[in-house]
Structures are given as C-alpha cells and as structure tokens.
Amino acid sequence: YRAMHRPHRSEQVRRALRVYCAAALVWLLMGLFTVAHAGPKWETIAREGGIRVLQKERPGSDIPKVKGIGIVKANLVDVLAVIDDVPGRTKWAHDCTDSRELEKSSPFERVLYHRSAVTWPVSDRDVVVRVKVDANYVAQRVKVSYRTARKYPFSKVSGVVRMPRLDGYFLIEAVGESRTRVSYLVDADPGGLLPEWLVAMTAKDVPLKTLKNLRKRVRRTKSSGKYKKFVDYWQPRFFPPVEKADTSS
C-alpha cells in the first residue's frame, strides 16, 4: 500500500528542480531590481593635496554632479567667516568674477548673484541662488545650501548665459578645534552647448581649486584678523568656553 502511494524518485527530483528554479528566479529578479534602483554612484576622479574629487552621473544630463572633500587646518568658525563673506568669494571661489548679496532676510537666509568666467570662446555664466544656512552647534557642523532662484527678478547681463540650474552646498564639520572638514557639492546645468573637454576639466577644477583657494584664504584672513568680529560672535556658540573647576576650597 505504501509503495503504491509513494512518489516515484524521478517525480521527487522534478519537484525539487521546480522549487530550486523558482527560488533562483526570485533571487535573480531581486538582484535586477536592486541594480535598476541603485542609480549612479560617486566615482573618485582626482586626489591632490589631501583633497578628494568625486563625480556622479546625473540621469538625463551630460554634466555630472561633482564633489570635493578636504581638510582645512583652521577652526570651523574661521572657515565659516570666509564662506560668509559674499563679495569676498571672488578671492577664492574658482573662476568667480562677481558675487553679490541681493537680499538678506536673516543671517541664515539670503539671495546671491554669482558669475563665473569660462574659458574662451565660451561665454561667461551667471546665476541667482537662494542660500540657506543650517547650523548645529552641538554637532559643530554647518551646512550652507544653495538652490537656483529661477523666478527672482534680476535682469540678465548682456553677453552672459544665465544658468538654468546651480544647486549644491558647503558642509563644514569640525574634526578638532583647529581642523575642519569641508565638503563642496555642485549640481549644475550651465546651459548652452559645451565641449566635452571643458566639461571634464570643469568637473575636476571647480571643487579642487575652490577648496585649495579656500585653504589659502582662511590662512590669510585668520592671520590678518579680517573677520575677528564675526569669529568673536560665533565662536562661543560652536565652542563654548570650558569653566575651570574651583580649586580654592
């Protein structure tokens, strides 16, 4: 009786194969789903002077997102003071020829105009951006984000191409009282047609040279005391003075 109702061995093998194939198909589909939704990844394109430059392809665009990361040997507030000086950005932001504050609603929200020189024969680019500052005093971290203000009423400049998009941020993080990590991200659409060699050169040069120049500018302004008032105001918020213990008793 048992022999009559026991599945044949070949049937058992077929069932096992069907289960195995079904499981393999599920794992394959899961893998394809993961790959399809993983999206582009950051790729290192340069390392120089302790600065790392990365890029990530942007779907639907020939212009990648770019990011530079490096250490500035200075206090977080000294770095922030340089970045906060809007007109002073022409001294260190790569290829920046004009930087103006158009509107300021608070120390944490502004509207800025930025113009960049571009290699001849390509026309200069400019843009109006809204800037927002998020400060975390406890974590000793500041994020200065900027996004294109497309509808802001600012007249176009003759001979200069208005950029459709310029988004990104400076992330400033204390890694010690005299060391600051700065991450600089740029997600731009410069508008118009640009040669591939210029796109490749800009992807590397903008974050790399901007961070190199920022280091130099911080060193100079710190030694000259140019932003002493700014530093004296913000320093205690990020680095509260430590009260000395009373040892008189």
Side-chain angles (χ1 to χ4, degrees):
Y1 179 82
R2 290 180 181 177
M4 293 175 61
H5 290 81
R6 183 184 301 149
H8 194 275
R9 182 170 182 81
S10 61
E11 179 64 23
Q12 291 178 325
V13 171
R14 283 195 293 270
R15 288 179 182 177
L17 285 173
R18 284 197 293 269
V19 172
Y20 174 80
C21 290
L25 179 61
V26 170
W27 281 107
L28 176 61
L29 291 174
M30 289 179 64
L32 291 173
F33 180 84
T34 302
V35 171
H37 288 76
K41 295 183 179 180
W42 287 105
E43 172 191 4
T44 299
I45 58 173
R47 290 179 185 271
E48 189 174 318
I51 297 171
R52 183 183 176 198
V53 180
L54 306 96
Q55 73 174 22
K56 182 167 70 170
E57 297 304 318
R58 197 178 197 281
S61 174
D62 294 331
I63 311 297
K65 293 182 181 181
V66 293
K67 178 168 60 175
I69 305 172
I71 296 293
V72 179
K73 295 179 181 178
N75 185 286
L76 176 149
V77 182
D78 290 314
V79 176
L80 183 60
V82 172
I83 294 175
D84 184 74
D85 180 4
V86 176
R89 292 183 183 184
T90 58
K91 304 287 186 182
W92 59 273
H94 181 57
D95 283 340
C96 176
T97 58
D98 192 357
S99 182
R100 305 179 222 166
E101 183 177 273
L102 304 180
E103 182 183 311
K104 183 176 183 179
S105 53
S106 77
F108 303 98
E109 293 188 21
R110 296 171 172 175
V111 177
L112 308 181
Y113 171 79
H114 176 95
R115 175 171 172 174
S116 294
V118 185
T119 303
W120 184 88
V122 180
S123 299
D124 286 2
R125 261 57 177 175
D126 70 357
V127 68
V128 176
V129 295
R130 292 189 181 276
V131 178
K132 182 179 180 182
V133 179
D134 291 309
N136 188 323
Y137 303 126
V138 176
Q140 297 176 333
R141 180 176 66 241
V142 181
K143 188 174 185 179
V144 182
S145 305
Y146 53 91
R147 295 188 65 83
T148 315
R150 294 180 179 84
K151 297 183 180 180
Y152 192 85
F154 188 78
S155 300
K156 292 186 177 180
V157 180
S158 177
V160 178
V161 176
R162 181 63 50 88
M163 296 175 64
R165 184 183 70 254
L166 179 62
D167 303 334
Y169 60 75
F170 282 96
L171 180 60
I172 313 160
E173 303 170 284
V175 291
E177 194 162 347
S178 298
R179 287 172 61 85
T180 303
R181 179 170 54 243
V182 180
S183 303
Y184 175 42
L185 181 139
V186 180
D187 179 10
D189 177 0
L193 297 175
L194 298 176
E196 290 186 7
W197 64 265
L198 182 58
V199 172
M201 183 179 72
T202 302
K204 174 186 174 183
D205 285 355
V206 168
L208 178 62
K209 293 186 177 181
T210 293
L211 291 182
K212 279 187 172 183
N213 294 339
L214 177 62
R215 285 173 170 174
K216 295 176 183 177
R217 186 65 179 167
V218 170
R219 189 163 57 246
R220 290 171 184 167
T221 57
K222 183 179 179 180
S223 62
S224 68
K226 179 177 177 62
Y227 301 118
K228 185 179 185 304
K229 185 177 180 180
F230 180 98
V231 172
D232 288 346
Y233 180 82
W234 291 105
Q235 177 78 9
R237 287 160 173 75
F238 289 98
F239 302 95
V242 179
E243 295 184 6
K244 295 182 179 180
D246 186 0
T247 58
S248 59
S249 58

